[in-house]
Amino acid sequence: MKFVEEVVVDAFLPTYRAMLAERLRDRGLTQAEVADLLGVSQSAVSKYAHGEVDVHPDVEGDERVRALADRVAAGLADGTLSRVGALVEAEVLIRELEDGDLLARLHEAAVPELADADATFAVHDADSALRTSEQVLASVRRGLRVLTNASGFAGLIPNVGTNLVETLPDPTGIEDVAAVPGRIVDVKGAATVPGDPEFGVSEHVAGILLAARAGGAAANGAVNVAYDEEMLTAFTDAGYATVEFDPGAGDDGAERAVAAADLDDDEPFVLYQTGAHGVEAITYVLGPDAPAVARAVVETQLR
């Protein structure tokens, strides 16, 4: 008796880890760094590198496995994908391959009686909440990389700080919005991110995004930057819709302003308020996801 999980352990995992190790090493990571990311020993990484681990040709040659290894290696190497996110992505593909696919066929080859059985091994949901959460966190990290890699971005940070946020599908509150804990701040001319994105750590920018969605906007991501008339003109000249709201009305004012505007669901737009007593003037860029709004700021204001 051989379980499909044994096929995963014996055929998929050694092959996939060897593929990941090779790709990570090709990206310049040290043996120790690769071992840490994969959760294996350095000696295991050395064996992968020297071809001392048996790989399964059917697994190694599968385009989906190759694409996953490429994508996960890139995300782990540049920090946009966490180890949890990498694990979830692999788990989802494994379950897909178990469901009448590659791993099921390898299982049937090991246990021929299964070929005639009406059996399925799909036990994980490809649209699981954990996978979706990790994908949103990875998206925020990608957006942060766009902002922090842009020369001069620190000069766009308002006194209250900047945050970059993105929602889960169908959010019900700020706990469903990923953001930077503590906000991005200007430290001696450098945009400084105090921590890895988390859910439920932004009230202000997350609140504006949720209010805009309540007003009918299709936006999933948002970022706030400083406000001045030249910045607003640059956004307008670049073709972005701009919507002003009353800062005294808070999130409700943002919701009403968006509801009254004629916005294109597919394009980022600008929501702004020009300040009030005790309220700093702020510009918000909203759009389909965190990288899209980050690019809108960089391409409009820093080039």
Side-chain angles (χ1 to χ4, degrees):
M1 181 170 58
K2 188 180 183 75
F3 292 97
V4 69
E5 287 80 8
E6 294 178 80
V7 176
V8 173
V9 171
D10 296 340
F12 183 89
L13 289 181
T15 304
Y16 179 62
R17 282 176 174 155
M19 295 168 70
L20 271 184
E22 178 184 11
R23 285 158 171 76
L24 289 169
R25 290 288 280 150
D26 287 346
R27 289 177 173 272
L29 275 70
T30 67
Q31 187 169 289
E33 290 170 332
V34 174
D36 181 61
L37 287 173
L38 299 188
V40 299
S41 67
Q42 291 191 48
S43 63
V45 174
S46 178
K47 290 179 180 179
Y48 292 141
H50 291 90
E52 297 175 11
V53 175
D54 290 335
V55 297
H56 197 290
D58 291 353
V59 176
E60 186 179 35
D62 189 280
E63 289 300 324
R64 293 161 297 180
V65 179
R66 297 173 69 85
L68 176 66
D70 289 340
R71 186 171 72 252
V72 169
L76 289 174
D78 68 16
T80 59
L81 185 66
S82 70
R83 289 192 296 180
V84 171
L87 176 63
V88 171
E89 291 301 310
E91 283 279 1
V92 168
L93 180 59
I94 288 170
R95 304 315 157 188
E96 177 184 332
L97 298 180
E98 287 178 345
D99 185 16
D101 208 311
L102 173 63
L103 294 179
R105 292 195 298 273
L106 296 179
H107 193 198
E108 290 170 1
V111 187
E113 297 87 344
L114 286 172
D116 298 323
D118 182 16
T120 180
F121 301 97
V123 295
H124 285 198
D125 182 2
D127 295 320
S128 69
L130 177 58
R131 186 190 191 199
T132 302
S133 296
E134 286 294 328
Q135 288 173 331
V136 169
L137 290 170
S139 182
V140 175
R141 294 186 194 105
R142 288 193 295 272
L144 288 171
R145 190 171 297 276
V146 171
L147 295 178
T148 56
N149 284 347
S151 176
F153 174 69
L156 302 181
I157 298 175
N159 293 329
V160 295
T162 287
N163 217 325
L164 176 67
V165 307
E166 185 171 325
T167 72
L168 291 171
D170 303 315
T172 59
I174 62 171
E175 67 278 1
D176 295 327
V177 182
V180 174
R183 300 189 184 181
I184 308 164
V185 295
D186 178 359
V187 178
K188 297 181 179 180
T192 302
V193 181
D196 201 42
E198 301 176 22
F199 284 93
V201 294
S202 170
E203 292 186 6
H204 179 62
V205 182
I208 291 292
L209 175 57
L210 293 174
R213 288 175 59 91
N220 295 314
V223 63
N224 70 309
V225 291
Y227 168 85
D228 64 41
E229 292 185 2
E230 290 185 0
M231 288 179 63
L232 190 63
T233 298
F235 279 121
T236 302
D237 290 346
Y240 292 99
T242 59
V243 180
E244 184 177 7
F245 72 99
D246 177 6
D251 293 352
D252 289 342
E255 178 180 345
R256 290 195 296 269
V258 169
D262 182 18
L263 299 173
D264 186 335
D265 287 345
D266 298 326
E267 298 294 333
F269 68 95
V270 175
L271 186 62
Y272 69 98
Q273 48 88 0
T274 57
H277 180 69
V279 179
E280 183 180 7
I282 297 289
T283 305
Y284 305 87
V285 182
L286 295 88
D289 54 34
V293 297
R295 287 192 298 271
V297 170
V298 169
E299 292 172 0
T300 304
Q301 304 300 326
L302 299 176
R303 292 185 182 178

